[in-house]
Structures are given as structure tokens and as C-alpha cells.
Amino acid sequence: MTEAWIGETLYDGWQQRFRVRKELARAKSAFQDIVVFESETHGRVLVLDGVIQITEGDEFVYQEMLTHVPLLAHGDARSVLIIGAGDGGVLRRVLQHRGVTRAVMVEIDGEVIDLSKRFLPGIAGDAWTDPRAEVIVGDGIDYVARAETASVDAIIVDSTDPIGVGEVLFTDSFYEHCARILTPNGIIVNQCGVPFMQADELRETSLRRARFFPHVSAYVAAVPTYVGGFMTLGVAAKGQNPAAHPVETIRARAEAAGILGTTGYWTPEIHAGAFNLPPYIARNLPSAGV
């Protein structure tokens, strides 16, 4: 019997491959090619347009850092907007915060949601049926453009890279509307790639955010599946500098939120330390945000 492998096609000259135990789904939606398979080493894996999005084995690293860091840096986020994140993992982590009263998730590709519910149910858990959650299959750009001014405390953008369907989530217009709909202490975060291979993504996105937010920075997470070194998560805030909170403050907020002791990667110490960037990453940030 011939072994089956799936290779990631994100980079032209470098590739990681997964040995496939069983292919579970293959679909072509109106927006992208979608594959879900069972791997030997990482559990079930979601692939969009040839790029690994999430694996059951290490999704907790990415999801915890993308969610807990901005919400605890804010300190009192009650209304949260999630753009993308069709697997439901971010929604699940947002709803772990006791203070959150409303979480709106806008995912453009309903097929991703449907396949995730069917084949990756553990990633979202009970989030899909939580009464605080509102899941919209629609265009996040349009939602942000129409949303009420100062109506959201935190925005979490979990998108593909700025190519294809994810490209419009990295524009001046998008960030301008995000700044408008965020409350005075509002905060936004989005993945900015692996800067060892994708430095332009962090640099250009940070420059765009700096036009509309007084505080622009980034923090890192070590996600095994995202090869090439640290994954960076770009963050921008209207109120307090999200990188300036001491460990004690973050610990107290996490305890109040019900997060402390529930995580597999995030801790108050990891939270604070993640903003201490290696120079090769920090040089891609605007000087005002470093």
C-alpha cells in the first residue's frame, strides 16, 4: 500500500509534510479548497488552499495566545468581535472569560464552519450553542464597515495570510473601521505570520495599524505547526499599551476571568514575556510601537 502524504504549499522553497492516516473531507467552497485529514502525529488537521490552518495537537497554543492576551490586556472586555476563526477555537476561548457578555463571530466561508463542526468538534466544544455567541456566515469587512461606532471592546482577527480570501483583512480601510467601532480602551489582534519567512507581513500590517492606533506592538507564540520560528500576533490598542502590564496585573485579571489554571500554553509569565521580541522581529515594528 502506498503511503499518502500532504505537503503544505505556503512557501515555494520550503515545505512540511504530514503522513495521512485517513482523509476525512475534501471540498471546494466558493472561496477556497478545504481538506480535513487524520494525521499520524498531530491528530486531525484543517488545510485551506494548501496551507495548514489548525491541528488538534497544537491548536491550544495559537488559540490561547490569540484570545487570552488581548482580552486580559484589555481587562474588562464584554463585547468581542471575532473575524474568521471558522473552526470555533477562538470563540471557545473568548467564551471562557466570565466577563464576556457577547461574542460575535463573522466567518465568510460557511463550509469551514460546517466541516469543523463535523470533523473537528473538540476544537470549539460547546461554543456553538453558547447563548452569548452569535455566529454569522458573512463578510467581516462589510460587518466592520456597518457596525456601530464604539460598540466593541476587542476584535480578534483569525484569518489566512494576506493572499486570496484573507487579503482584504489587511487594508487601511479595514483598520480604520476597526478603530472606529472599538470603545475608547479597545484592542485588536491578528496573526502576522512567521517573520523569519514573512517579515513583510508584520512590517506592513504594523505600519497600517499605526495610522489609526496610538499603541502598536506584537507578541510571539511558539506553535509547532507554523514552521519557521515564532508566530507573531500583531496587536494595536486605543487605550493602554497592551505590552505594559506587569505579571501581577495579568494574573489577577486571569483569576477574575476564570482563566487561571485552565490553559496548556498561556500563563501570566508567558503573557508578559511574549512581548519581549528578538531584534530580528522587533525591527519590523514602527519605532513608536517598540
Side-chain angles (χ1 to χ4, degrees):
M1 181 177 175
T2 305
E3 288 186 344
W5 292 77
I6 284 185
E8 185 174 41
T9 59
L10 180 59
Y11 308 119
D12 291 336
W14 187 23
Q15 185 181 97
Q16 65 171 329
R17 297 196 306 158
F18 288 82
R19 186 151 54 194
V20 179
R21 180 173 288 168
K22 182 181 181 181
E23 186 174 294
L24 301 171
R26 184 177 291 267
K28 186 173 182 61
S29 73
F31 302 96
Q32 55 205 337
D33 293 320
I34 308 168
V35 177
V36 184
F37 68 91
E38 182 84 36
S39 73
E40 279 196 7
T41 53
H42 290 61
R44 294 185 174 187
V45 182
L46 172 66
V47 188
L48 301 180
D49 282 340
V51 180
I52 305 300
Q53 300 299 309
I54 221 78
T55 80
E56 288 181 320
D58 63 10
E59 59 87 21
F60 69 95
V61 180
Y62 179 68
Q63 313 274 28
E64 289 176 7
M65 292 298 283
L66 186 63
T67 304
H68 298 328
V69 172
L71 295 192
L72 294 171
H74 182 284
D76 189 30
R78 299 181 180 276
S79 176
V80 180
L81 172 62
I82 304 162
I83 297 177
D87 55 74
V90 172
L91 182 63
R92 172 187 166 195
R93 266 69 179 203
V94 167
L95 294 170
Q96 288 176 341
H97 289 251
R98 292 174 181 150
V100 171
T101 58
R102 184 170 184 250
V104 177
M105 172 182 152
V106 185
E107 163 62 54
I108 198 168
D109 196 340
E111 192 80 16
V112 173
I113 295 176
D114 292 342
L115 291 173
S116 295
K117 285 181 176 179
R118 182 177 177 187
F119 296 106
L120 299 162
I123 289 181
D126 296 330
W128 302 119
T129 57
D130 192 297
R132 295 171 293 163
E134 179 183 354
V135 178
I136 299 170
V137 177
D139 186 347
I141 303 297
D142 182 65
Y143 184 93
V144 168
R146 294 173 180 269
E148 184 180 346
T149 298
S151 60
V152 177
D153 295 310
I155 301 174
I156 300 173
V157 184
D158 181 17
S159 69
T160 55
D161 290 297
I163 52 177
V165 69
E167 186 172 4
V168 290
L169 295 173
F170 292 79
T171 64
D172 283 356
S173 175
F174 174 71
Y175 289 119
E176 184 175 16
H177 278 298
C178 286
R180 177 185 62 80
I181 71 171
L182 282 167
T183 50
N185 194 36
I187 190 169
I188 180 173
V189 64
N190 65 288
Q191 70 87 3
C192 288
V194 178
F196 184 79
M197 296 294 291
Q198 300 166 300
D200 288 350
E201 190 170 323
L202 175 61
R203 182 167 54 251
E204 292 173 9
T205 302
S206 299
L207 286 171
R208 290 184 188 279
R209 288 196 304 264
R211 294 168 187 164
F212 308 106
F213 294 88
H215 302 291
V216 174
S217 59
Y219 59 97
V220 293
V223 187
T225 299
Y226 303 150
V227 297
F230 284 117
M231 161 66 70
T232 53
L233 301 164
V235 61
K238 294 174 70 173
Q240 297 177 316
N241 181 352
H245 301 295
V247 170
E248 294 76 14
T249 297
I250 296 301
R251 185 186 308 280
R253 290 178 178 180
E255 186 169 14
I259 300 303
L260 206 60
T262 70
T263 57
Y265 183 91
W266 180 94
T267 66
E269 291 78 14
I270 291 289
H271 178 125
F275 286 94
N276 295 316
L277 302 178
Y280 86 91
I281 296 178
R283 68 188 178 210
N284 294 295
L285 293 172
S287 58
V290 175

